[in-house]
Amino acid sequence: MSQETDTNNAYWQANVRLILISLVIWALVSFGFGIILRPALSGVEIGGTDLGFWFAQQGSIVVFLVLIFFYAWRMNRLDREHGVDEE
């Protein structure tokens, strides 16, 4: 019983860690780069507009989509490692 509890705890700790890392990245990109650091990024051009505007309008959405796919891929791998996968 103790080993099963340890395995469950390790699984949920890894799951929560992955969620927190994803949320920090998302907040940094959307709020940090798009709003707070926008004036500092205004000198760098990407696609004909400044980098701060790009992050505020498109970059945060692109990063969010990448995070969704990364989370799904990593959770499938984590599920297999802990024996709770669907297959």
Side-chain angles (χ1 to χ4, degrees), residues 4 7-8 22-23 30 32-33 35 39 46 51 54 58 60-61 65 74 77 83 85:
E4 183 179 331
T7 302
N8 288 340
S22 298
L23 286 174
S30 62
F33 291 162
I35 297 172
I46 183 170
L51 188 59
W54 184 83
Q58 294 177 351
S60 59
I61 296 169
L65 290 173
R74 183 64 180 107
R77 192 169 144 205
D85 57 335

Side-chain angles (χ1 to χ4, degrees), residues 30-73:
S30 62
F31 188 70
F33 291 162
I35 297 172
I36 295 174
L37 296 176
R38 190 185 184 293
L41 298 173
S42 65
V44 180
E45 265 196 36
I46 183 170
T49 187
D50 66 272
L51 188 59
F53 180 77
W54 184 83
F55 269 115
Q57 296 301 314
Q58 294 177 351
S60 59
I61 296 169
V62 170
V63 170
F64 180 67
L65 290 173
V66 168
L67 281 174
I68 289 172
F69 286 105
F70 172 75
Y71 178 79
W73 170 78

